[in-house]
Amino acid sequence: QVQLVESGGGLVQPGGSLRLSCGASGSISSINAISWYRQAPGKQRELVADITSGGSTNYADSVKGRFTISRDNAKNTGYLQMNSLKPEDTAVYYCYAELRPSGSYYRHFWGQGTQVTVSS
């Protein structure tokens, strides 16, 4: 079965960097869009960035210039490079992908989430 697994979260100081990975496992025909969301305690989940199959990107205003979303289609993996991290970036980060499992239709999948904590 297809699943998404995030990795790369952890504790960093303000101004530091982290690189999150989102790997899709299983038999997959194609991956359309890959997105990163985050959810802080007491807040709704919000879109951070997304990237289409053609490589076009979109970012939330709060992370523009600091975060970069990318993908490696050969590895079925998406990435989120996070630089100049701020305490307000603290949240659980979730990967979300529109992909087509082999022999099936396009479907949406969520990863399990990875904790990012920015604190001194």
Side-chain angles (χ1 to χ4, degrees):
Q1 57 186 18
V2 172
Q3 63 178 0
L4 303 180
V5 179
E6 301 101 331
S7 62
L11 174 64
V12 296
Q13 295 185 345
S17 298
L18 283 174
R19 190 186 193 192
L20 306 183
S21 297
C22 172
S25 64
S27 182
I28 299 169
S29 293
S30 61
I31 301 177
N32 189 10
I34 300 173
S35 303
W36 287 95
Y37 288 77
R38 67 185 181 187
Q39 187 166 24
K43 295 185 177 181
Q44 294 185 340
R45 190 170 299 185
E46 64 175 348
L47 177 66
V48 176
D50 61 67
I51 183 169
T52 69
S53 60
S56 63
T57 59
N58 179 62
Y59 298 92
D61 289 340
S62 60
V63 306
K64 285 182 178 178
R66 300 188 298 119
F67 291 11
T68 302
I69 188 170
S70 61
R71 61 193 292 167
D72 186 334
N73 292 329
K75 297 181 178 180
N76 286 336
T77 301
Y79 304 95
L80 185 67
Q81 178 67 47
M82 305 185 294
N83 299 326
S84 301
L85 284 162
K86 305 174 181 179
E88 50 263 45
D89 294 319
T90 296
V92 177
Y93 284 71
Y94 296 91
C95 179
Y96 178 78
E98 180 181 88
L99 59 83
R100 185 163 72 89
S102 296
S104 185
Y105 306 110
Y106 269 102
R107 298 169 59 190
H108 295 166
F109 294 84
W110 286 98
Q112 84 287 353
T114 184
Q115 177 70 48
V116 172
T117 302
V118 184
S119 176
S120 59

